[in-house]
Amino acid sequence: MRTILRGGTVWDESGAADADVVIDAAGRIEALVPRGGQDGGAAREGGAPAQVIDVSGLWVLPGAVDAHVHFRDPGLTAKEDFLTGSAAAAVGGVTTVLDMPNTLPPVNTAAAFAAKLQAVAGRAYTDFGLFGAATAWESIDDLIAHVDGLIEQGAVGIKVLLGPTTGNLSAPSWGELYQLLALHAERTVFVFHCEDRSVIEVATPRVPRALAAEYRGLLAARPRFGEILATAGVLELAGATGARVHVAHVALAEAVGLIARAKGQGWPVTAETCPQYLFLCQDDYEAIGPVMKVLPPIRSARDRDELVQGLRSGAIDLVATDHAPHEPPTKSEQPVWEGSFGMAGVQLLLPLLVDLALRGGCSIPDVVRWTSAAPARAFGLYPAKGALRPGSDADLVVIDPHRAWCVADDWWKSKSRNTAFWGRSGRGFPAMTFLRGRLVQVDGRVCGPPRGRLVRPRAGAGKTDGEAK
Ligand code: DOR
Ligand code: ZN
């Protein structure tokens, strides 16, 4: 049956229109019918039967594409699983998630990819892409063959973790990466966690014990130099090989400058930052405590402000959450640079940014671009995802701009309450979420069976000119 969302304001990257959204029986957008024409312009129910959903006074946006989540499934499901992670996504207005490969076993072979897909199939309320990982193997030939297998299986991108983090996956050497990217350029997008391992491993044991209980100790264990070096290196890889490089969770002012310069040279680079880097700085640690520990670490107010500027200038393309649930931090004697890192956040991507827009910090079209269109383009999913126009999947979120949300147990869907934003409230409640035309969330509750499917990037998604508008 067709569906008509009647009476709302429809937003995309360029602005707003008062229009009804007609969704065809296959779950794609059939038409946007502007209201206010001769006959009032409302979409007619004539023709095939239609259910009409009244969204007057509400905003209709393309569903968000969270390009960076860790749903921990399979292997680490005490922290999160695909059902709970994707429920949190749907409740927050996210309709596609791209899931990271540091699950157990790590997704660094075609067989591991197939096993993960089987494990999570039928357990997602949103559509999802799966990343593969490029890790250190015995030989470069093995590395190249495994990455080829991952791309063939439909990996949405290839992740490289240059520094130690959850799962402690080891990265190929720079020499191997150079060959790998040159060979697989144009076939996929390479996503980099930019912290240099050696800089961290040498710095950590040298941090004075006196700082062991202070956030400054964590920052000393991960000098800025390590992030600058790794970021500069991966940008040079893009320049040297022509491969599409995406810089994950940019957290540092200097990195914004390096990325802007690389883009200025015409290198095929995109970059993301996360709400925790846009809304928090190191001074908040005293009040928030260990749930604020993420990698790379949250740094100064100047870094935060430069990241916001970087988004505005276009140096940074998109906002993703790095949703990284963990069990609650245990009270322990271990130093601040040990333990688990990461916070849950997929549910808050849109609420935090819509609230920012309502407070005048950015516009709703900015929010649509940063959370939906830009990530869909970066990963070869546009315009099936990330666009609200005829032919696109009817992945939609209906926002009530007057209604408040509050990060509390009765709304929260992740297994992990490990977020620095616990207790925070704002305006712009995601009142409904549609996945390919079907309602998957109403009023903070998921509905229907989990119908999410694997998304595969368009062929040649690594091509720089392939980002169709
Ligand atoms: O804080 C983080 N946690 N950063 C990462 O890069 C990985 C993530 C995790 O998997 O826990
Ligand atoms: Zn991550």
Side-chain angles (χ1 to χ4, degrees):
M1 190 157 63
R2 290 152 77 235
T3 304
I4 300 173
L5 305 193
R6 175 162 293 165
T9 302
V10 175
W11 292 89
D12 68 9
E13 285 175 279
S14 50
D18 288 332
D20 295 347
V21 183
V22 184
I23 301 169
D24 69 19
R28 290 199 198 88
I29 294 173
E30 183 178 305
L32 299 177
V33 182
R35 284 191 309 280
Q38 296 168 339
D39 57 353
R44 299 264 159 229
E45 285 135 60
Q51 64 162 336
V52 178
I53 298 177
D54 180 14
V55 293
S56 12
L58 307 178
W59 293 350
V60 185
L61 275 60
V65 176
D66 190 340
H68 191 149
V69 304
H70 299 261
F71 281 177
R72 309 300 195 197
D73 204 345
L76 297 162
T77 50
K79 298 176 190 287
E80 191 77 287
D81 62 39
F82 244 72
L83 276 174
T84 53
S86 66
V91 167
V94 171
T95 47
T96 302
V97 295
L98 307 186
D99 189 60
M100 287 296 165
N102 57 338
T103 36
L104 279 181
V107 186
N108 57 356
T109 64
F113 187 98
K116 176 164 178 170
L117 182 55
Q118 198 172 23
V120 306
R123 298 175 55 237
Y125 289 99
T126 62
D127 281 350
F128 57 94
L130 300 179
F131 285 103
T135 56
W137 289 96
E138 298 231 317
S139 75
I140 171 107
D141 294 334
D142 289 349
L143 170 66
I144 287 169
H146 286 309
V147 169
D148 177 65
L150 289 163
I151 298 170
E152 288 295 315
Q153 289 280 317
V156 76
I158 299 296
K159 179 82 180 279
V160 184
L161 291 139
L162 294 172
T165 174
T166 304
N168 205 16
L169 300 184
S170 54
S173 68
W174 286 109
E176 290 170 326
L177 288 171
Y178 173 74
Q179 300 290 335
L180 177 75
L181 268 67
L183 206 72
H184 290 312
E186 307 207 340
R187 288 187 67 208
T188 191
V189 180
F190 290 88
V191 178
F192 285 88
H193 178 124
C194 292
E195 289 188 286
D196 183 83
R197 179 179 285 271
S198 73
V199 171
I200 295 162
E201 285 179 350
V202 175
T204 303
R206 299 179 63 82
V207 178
R209 281 274 137 184
L211 296 184
E214 293 183 31
Y215 193 70
R216 277 190 301 157
L218 168 62
L219 298 185
R222 300 209 168 218
R224 303 174 76 88
F225 172 66
E227 269 169 83
I228 295 170
L229 187 65
T231 307
V234 308
L235 296 171
E236 292 291 337
L237 274 175
T241 65
R244 272 276 291 109
V245 162
H246 179 76
V247 185
H249 41 48
V250 177
L252 213 60
E254 292 89 330
V256 179
L258 290 169
I259 292 161
R261 205 193 55 175
K263 288 186 168 183
Q265 315 251 59
W267 295 352
V269 169
T270 51
E272 90 199 10
T273 189
C274 315
Q276 49 273 33
Y277 304 115
L278 295 169
F279 291 99
L280 305 171
C281 71
Q282 65 195 63
D283 308 336
D284 295 312
Y285 190 77
E286 212 171 315
I288 293 173
V291 294
M292 209 181 97
K293 293 196 326 181
V294 295
L295 297 177
I298 295 163
R299 298 193 192 253
S300 69
R302 185 178 84 84
D303 291 296
R304 181 196 59 201
D305 296 347
E306 290 290 323
L307 291 163
V308 172
Q309 263 318 108
L311 264 175
R312 293 203 176 115
S313 72
I316 296 179
D317 300 84
L318 59 103
V319 185
T321 62
D322 196 5
H323 176 85
H326 288 287
E327 295 84 349
T330 45
K331 269 212 168 111
S332 78
E333 298 305 309
Q334 67 180 346
V336 66
W337 54 84
E338 305 281 349
S340 45
F341 288 82
M343 63 174 84
V346 68
Q347 191 172 332
L348 299 180
L349 176 63
L350 266 182
L352 284 168
L353 289 173
V354 168
D355 179 64
L356 180 69
L358 286 167
R359 288 185 288 114
C362 61
S363 69
I364 294 294
D366 286 337
V367 175
V368 171
R369 191 170 68 255
W370 298 337
T371 63
S372 188
R377 282 197 188 102
F379 291 96
L381 305 173
Y382 193 88
K385 305 298 188 191
L388 211 170
R389 66 182 193 197
S392 297
D393 286 355
D395 293 351
L396 305 167
V397 52
V398 177
I399 302 273
D400 184 341
H402 304 292
R403 184 166 164 195
W405 47 267
C406 178
V407 186
D409 278 321
D410 59 354
W411 183 54
W412 195 246
K413 292 291 177 285
S414 171
K415 280 188 190 177
S416 168
R417 298 159 96 247
N418 211 44
T419 165
F421 299 109
W422 196 260
R424 189 165 179 129
S425 56
R427 272 185 309 143
F429 186 81
M432 293 176 219
T433 308
F434 293 84
L435 178 68
R436 286 179 275 104
R438 305 245 198 173
L439 207 49
V440 291
Q441 179 277 126
V442 186
D443 244 351
R445 287 185 306 277
V446 282
C447 39
R451 296 176 198 278
R453 297 201 293 233
L454 182 77
V455 294
R456 290 169 193 272
R458 197 171 15 77
K463 283 207 184 85
T464 47
D465 61 353
E467 296 168 336
K469 288 246 173 185

